[in-house]
Amino acid sequence: QVQLVESGGGLVQAGGSLRLSCAASISTRAMTAMGWYRQAPGKQRELVATDTSGGSTDYADSVKGRFTISTDNAKNTVYLQMNSLKPEDTAVYYCNVRTAWADYWGKGTLVTVSS
């Protein structure tokens, strides 16, 4: 069973930065894609950023230019650097990893941005 452990969430003021980490129990080389999703209270889970094994990245329009997804293959860790945070970025952020055989999700980390 693949395990994903997110960390790095917390409370930050608007305009601040946070870096989320997702430590995986499998090699990033076994992943066909990795991504971050978020779910705000009362809303559906939405895509924030994805990175395929081919090196293609994609971002939600609302975070383009502010968030960056990256991977450290040596640490089997996926990151989400979040800059210029806004109150509307407040949500639980989930790490997602896709392999050739299944999709896996972390338990989430809460990000709260105060105005």
Side-chain angles (χ1 to χ4, degrees):
Q1 180 71 15
V2 174
Q3 292 186 331
L4 304 175
V5 180
E6 300 109 330
S7 61
L11 175 62
V12 64
Q13 288 189 331
S17 298
L18 284 174
R19 189 178 77 158
L20 305 183
S21 300
C22 173
S25 62
I26 61 169
S27 169
T28 54
R29 302 186 191 283
M31 304 175 189
T32 57
M34 58 285 290
W36 289 92
Y37 291 71
R38 68 186 181 187
Q39 186 166 17
K43 295 187 177 181
Q44 290 188 329
R45 190 173 297 187
E46 63 175 0
L47 171 70
V48 176
T50 59
D51 185 3
T52 68
S53 59
S56 174
T57 58
D58 192 23
Y59 297 90
D61 288 342
S62 60
V63 307
K64 282 181 181 176
R66 300 188 297 122
F67 291 11
T68 303
I69 188 171
S70 62
T71 303
D72 185 331
N73 293 329
K75 296 182 178 180
N76 296 330
T77 299
V78 182
Y79 300 99
L80 184 68
Q81 178 66 44
M82 305 187 295
N83 300 326
S84 302
L85 283 160
K86 304 175 180 179
E88 52 263 43
D89 294 319
T90 294
V92 177
Y93 284 71
Y94 297 91
C95 176
N96 170 260
V97 162
R98 185 169 298 172
T99 66
W101 58 90
D103 254 2
Y104 299 95
W105 292 89
K107 293 182 179 180
T109 185
L110 177 62
V111 172
T112 303
V113 184
S114 63
S115 57

